[in-house]
């Protein structure tokens, strides 16, 4: 065993970066390359990895410290060869030497450009396929030379990519989630004054071809990240980006935590792993509502959700007390949360609803006789259980109804988890019958009544409300003819069902009394076409008309 020093590796031109996060503590066992601290310049943040595996003995830096290449990070107890007694502590650097400063020149003076100018990703060293996590400008914006255009992120570092020219953005060539590499086109600028392109690996204009490998900044992620933008960084803040390191952002994404709602306890309000964890715990315990903010915004009369963001006139502000007695009551937590979800889904999804009727005369007769035969079992079979089974069959035949949008791709689910809207004293809830394709009508009926009871008693667990791939909203027990249910995103369709009624149906020779069930299928037009929706409803109607078809 020996104690070694772990120091800051070569981080290129960046001197005096601030320590914004300590990711380990004395006693922790760390792997080689495991991130120890996060440092930040005004343009990039990066994690400094450990040069060795071992046990942390002492942390030699503190939050807010300014560090540079060679600064002592911590003392590590290591095993093996390194344990041999050394005359002096071994200074370990995690990264090979970075590119000499001369190879990352500052931007050259601006000169007038004649036509539209391309802005490309500058030399970002070894980084391949980094993800665009923020687009900081839009078409029509006037940008200054070196103004940050986008933020990209690898699994270890994030950085802002500056503009190589000043001008007006005519076209943006990247969007959130895109993967970019050196030389990729970011934007077209007009009226631009571009930088005079220095030879070799200079400014990221079209002429700035990727730097030759020999001059590319170093091998390890952190050093590359900080050494990346060829322009001298300016202090443009990252607009709206929560203050957190890439690994914290990744962690939050994995948990589905909206970072914008997490309060950072780190330096300058930086969000740490612990903040994300404690936010998750608060949500799970009900102490915090993730969507409460948007729900409150939705209810605000003006600004923050009042319509002004959409260019609408403000929500009317009326003193109702002027017209008669009133009572003000806070909405339930469930109503606030579901309201925010419904608002988002109603606004963001280009939804269309197809209405149809189907003949359930025989199915209802079968349901009634089944219930009579099984009176003693205590399980009451409801029409909704048959609807769930029928929808599973239709989803199998038309799989895009069982999908979700993921950027430009569709995720086709091979499971059939069916949500059903349940009316509760506190508001609408959507419990989920998992793997409905593998369950019979009795089991579905039993589970449904248990879940509906739990919903009414406020005892549903998050697991019992998650994972639905399609939802049915039945008002059949109440009444009404048709309605337009709102899609439960990220699902792409929802079936609304109303009360069946006896109606005269023409059979070609005479009117016959038939029990007709009104169906209202709302679907996301980005994923589903009108013809497919009509076919889905027709097929559903055929199954409900003759349930033996489920077996086909
Ligand atoms: N047509 C005619 N009668 C129907 C029917 C239909 N489509 N669906 C149910 N019924 C009857 C049932 O047979 C039952 O009658 P009996 O008591 O005589 O047997 C009665 O209506 C009550 O049924 P139910 O509502 O208890 O049972 P269900 O399985 O149909 O529904 C549940 C269960 C949890 C979905 C329901 O209680 C509920 O909460 N519905 C409201 C859902 C909602 O709010 N949707 C709107 C969301 S906004 O998008």
């Amino acid at each position: 065993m020996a104690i070694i020093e772990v120091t800051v590796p070569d981080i290129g031109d960046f001197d005096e970066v601030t320590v914004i996060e300590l990711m380990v503590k004395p006693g922790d066992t760390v792997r080689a390359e495991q991130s120890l601290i996060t440092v930040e310049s005004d343009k990039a943040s990066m994690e400094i990895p450990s040069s060795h595996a071992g046990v942390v003995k002492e942390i030699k830096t503190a939050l807010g410290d300014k560090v540079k290449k060679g600064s002592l990070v911590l003392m590590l107890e290591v095993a093996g060869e390194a344990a041999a007694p050394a005359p002096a502590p071994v200074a370990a650097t995690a990264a090979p030497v970075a590119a000499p400063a001369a190879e990352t020149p500052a931007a050259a003076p601006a000169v007038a450009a004649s036509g539209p100018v391309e802005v490309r990703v500058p030399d970002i060293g070894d980084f391949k396929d980094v993800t665009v996590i923020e687009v900081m400008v839009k078409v029509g914006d006037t940008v200054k030379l070196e103004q940050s255009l986008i933020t990209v992120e690898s699994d270890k570092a994030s950085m802002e990519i500056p503009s190589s020219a000043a001008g007006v953005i005519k076209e943006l060539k990247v969007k959130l989630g895109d993967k970019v590499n050196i030389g990729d086109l970011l934007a077209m600028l007009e009226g631009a004054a571009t930088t005079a392109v220095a030879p070799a690996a200079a400014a990221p204009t079209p002429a700035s071809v990727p730097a030759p490998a020999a001059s590319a900044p170093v091998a390890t992620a952190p050093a590359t990240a900080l050494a990346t933008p060829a322009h001298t960084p300016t202090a443009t803040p990252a607009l709206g980006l929560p203050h957190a390191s890439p690994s914290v952002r990744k962690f939050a994404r994995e948990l589905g935590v909206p970072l914008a709602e997490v309060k950072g306890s780190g330096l300058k309000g930086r969000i740490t792993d612990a903040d994300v964890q404690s936010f998750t715990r608060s949500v799970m315990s009900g102490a915090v509502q993730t969507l409460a903010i948007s729900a409150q915004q939705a209810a605000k009369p003006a600004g923050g959700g009042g319509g002004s963001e959409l260019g609408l006139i403000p929500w009317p502000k009326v003193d109702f007390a002027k017209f008669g007695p009133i009572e003000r009551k806070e909405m339930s937590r469930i109503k606030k949360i579901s309201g925010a979800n419904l608002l988002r889904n109603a606004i963001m999804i280009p939804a269309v609803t197809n209405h149809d009727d189907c003949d359930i005369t025989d199915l209802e007769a079968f349901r009634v006789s089944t219930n009579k035969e099984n009176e003693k079992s205590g399980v009451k079979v409801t029409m909704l259980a048959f609807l769930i089974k029928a929808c599973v069959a239709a989803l199998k035949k038309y799989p895009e109804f069982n999908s979700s949008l993921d950027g430009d791709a569709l995720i086709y689910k091979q499971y059939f988890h069916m949500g059903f809207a349940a009316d509760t004293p506190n508001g609408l809830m959507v419990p989920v019958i998992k793997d409905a394709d593998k369950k019979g009508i009795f089991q579905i009926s039993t589970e449904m009544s248990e879940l509906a009871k739990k919903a009414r008693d406020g005892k549903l667990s998050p697991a019992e409300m998650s994972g639905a791939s399609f939802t049915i909203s039945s008002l059949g027990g109440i009444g009404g003819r048709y309605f337009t249910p709102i899609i439960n995103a990220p699902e792409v369709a929802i079936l609304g069902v109303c009360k069946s009624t006896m109606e005269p149906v023409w059979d070609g020779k005479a009117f016959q009394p038939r029990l007709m069930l009104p169906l209202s299928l709302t679907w996301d037009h980005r994923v589903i076409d009108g013809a497919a929706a009509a076919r889905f409803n027709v097929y559903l109607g055929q199954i409900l008309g003759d349930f033996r078809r489920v077996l086909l």
Side-chain angles (χ1 to χ4, degrees), residues 196-469:
V197 178
T205 60
S208 77
V209 265
S215 65
V218 297
T220 64
T224 312
L226 276 186
T228 295
H231 294 288
T232 313
T234 53
T236 314
L239 305 170
L241 194 64
H243 208 37
S245 69
S247 61
V248 170
R249 277 206 290 274
K250 185 162 178 270
F251 181 44
R253 268 200 305 273
E254 282 164 0
L255 293 177
V257 168
L259 267 188
E261 292 182 44
V262 179
K263 196 166 164 15
S265 65
L267 194 70
K268 290 190 231 157
R270 192 158 185 94
I271 300 165
T272 63
D273 258 318
D275 295 330
V276 174
Q277 276 164 355
S278 94
F279 182 87
T280 311
R281 272 195 297 274
S282 312
V283 171
M284 296 307 283
S285 69
V288 167
Q289 302 156 3
T290 54
L291 288 159
I293 294 168
S294 36
Q296 281 157 11
Q297 282 177 344
K300 274 186 192 167
S308 56
E309 299 89 341
L310 299 172
L312 305 176
I313 56 170
W315 193 256
K317 198 170 168 53
V318 176
D319 178 8
F320 300 103
K322 278 201 313 202
F323 305 105
I326 58 165
E327 184 192 7
R328 186 187 162 86
K329 275 189 183 171
E330 272 301 302
M331 287 206 293
S332 71
R333 177 172 164 265
I334 289 169
K335 273 223 151 101
K336 283 184 199 169
I337 294 173
S338 63
N341 276 289
L342 290 166
L343 177 66
R344 180 201 56 208
N345 299 348
I347 289 174
M348 290 188 64
I349 302 174
V352 184
T353 306
N354 282 29
H355 301 290
D356 211 343
D357 293 318
C358 68
D359 186 336
I360 57 162
T361 317
D362 298 339
L363 186 58
E364 176 63 5
F366 176 67
R367 187 187 76 85
V368 171
S369 70
T370 305
N371 278 337
K372 258 195 200 128
E373 283 164 23
N374 292 282
E375 227 162 359
K376 285 189 190 129
S377 72
V379 181
K380 185 176 147 193
V381 171
T382 71
M383 187 50 70
L384 194 49
F386 287 103
L387 279 161
I388 286 177
K389 250 348 224 186
C391 282
V392 168
L395 294 174
K396 282 184 176 171
K397 190 168 169 77
Y398 300 103
E400 69 266 35
F401 287 79
N402 202 42
S403 73
S404 282
L405 263 173
D406 181 24
D408 289 337
L410 276 184
I411 310 287
Y412 288 91
K413 287 151 218 163
Q414 282 153 17
Y415 52 84
F416 299 89
H417 299 340
M418 308 295 285
F420 65 96
D423 183 30
T424 81
N426 288 321
L428 180 67
M429 309 210 70
V430 184
V432 181
I433 308 248
K434 301 269 163 59
D435 297 314
D437 56 319
K438 302 188 180 114
K439 294 174 180 166
I441 295 287
F442 283 113
Q443 190 178 351
I444 290 175
S445 296
T446 308
E447 273 186 37
M448 215 162 54
S449 86
E450 285 167 4
L451 288 169
K453 181 170 183 328
K454 274 191 176 180
R456 283 191 291 271
D457 297 345
K459 292 195 173 137
L460 278 178
S461 69
E464 286 166 328
M465 288 186 284
S466 48
S469 53

Side-chain angles (χ1 to χ4, degrees), residues 29-51:
T29 301
V30 298
R31 300 180 312 276
E33 295 297 318
Q34 180 176 332
S35 299
L36 303 176
I37 59 172
T38 308
V39 296
E40 185 181 64
S41 73
D42 58 347
K43 282 286 178 188
S45 65
M46 66 175 213
E47 293 167 17
I48 302 288
S50 182
S51 52

Side-chain angles (χ1 to χ4, degrees), residues 114 117 133 174 226 383 401 503:
S114 48
V117 169
I133 57 162
V174 285
L226 276 186
M383 187 50 70
F401 287 79
E503 285 175 29

